[in-house]
Amino acid sequence: GIKTPPKQANPSTKWLHAAWNEAITEAGDTWPATNAMGTVGWRREGATADEIQKSALASAVVGSHWTWAGIKTLSFLPAGALKTPWGVGKWGIALRPKGLPACAPPGECLYIDFSGAAHHASFDLSAGTFLSTRVGDGEEVIGKRL
């Protein structure tokens, strides 16, 4: 379970703590196996100009346009803004995503979040491609630079 809140905590905090631990205990082995990281809008904001500047990969990708599974156009805009055929999203530097050895330092990967789904992408800039892995279920998509 999670740590017990301090004695001076609000009663609602104590109730939520107890409810969470009860739910986890009751779920037992039925808890789904997933790498999902919660609600996309609460988790990640687009990369800042400073973050982009400090990353060789992000610096190379900002302002570029790609396909997503052959569909045009995924655009990596400044300030971590993402434009896709399915609406707007966010992108930035993925720090040590689970299960993706290509992203381990010194390698870099990006997160690409849109349409309520989170993705991690490893890039081969010399080939003009990326491999995206959806966080929740591991589905892979190939992107190609336009």
Side-chain angles (χ1 to χ4, degrees), residues 37-131:
M37 298 175 292
T39 304
V40 172
W42 293 353
R43 184 182 70 260
R44 302 196 274 208
E45 295 301 322
T48 65
D50 187 49
E51 290 169 334
I52 292 169
Q53 183 181 18
K54 289 178 182 176
S55 163
L57 176 57
S59 294
V61 169
V62 68
S64 65
H65 308 284
W66 302 70
T67 64
W68 180 272
I71 301 167
K72 296 178 182 175
T73 299
L74 189 76
S75 299
F76 291 87
L77 304 175
L82 183 72
K83 185 176 178 189
T84 81
W86 306 278
V88 297
K90 299 174 184 177
W91 70 275
I93 298 91
L95 302 174
R96 303 178 197 271
K98 285 196 255 179
L100 297 173
C103 302
E108 284 189 293
C109 289
L110 299 180
Y111 62 80
I112 305 171
D113 296 346
F114 64 93
S115 295
H119 310 84
H120 291 129
S122 58
F123 285 72
D124 183 339
L125 294 173
S126 62
T129 61
F130 67 74
L131 176 64

Side-chain angles (χ1 to χ4, degrees), residues 1-2 14-26 31:
I2 56 177
K14 293 176 183 176
W15 183 89
L16 285 170
H17 172 262
W20 173 261
N21 282 329
E22 179 184 339
I24 295 300
T25 300
E26 289 296 319
W31 196 262

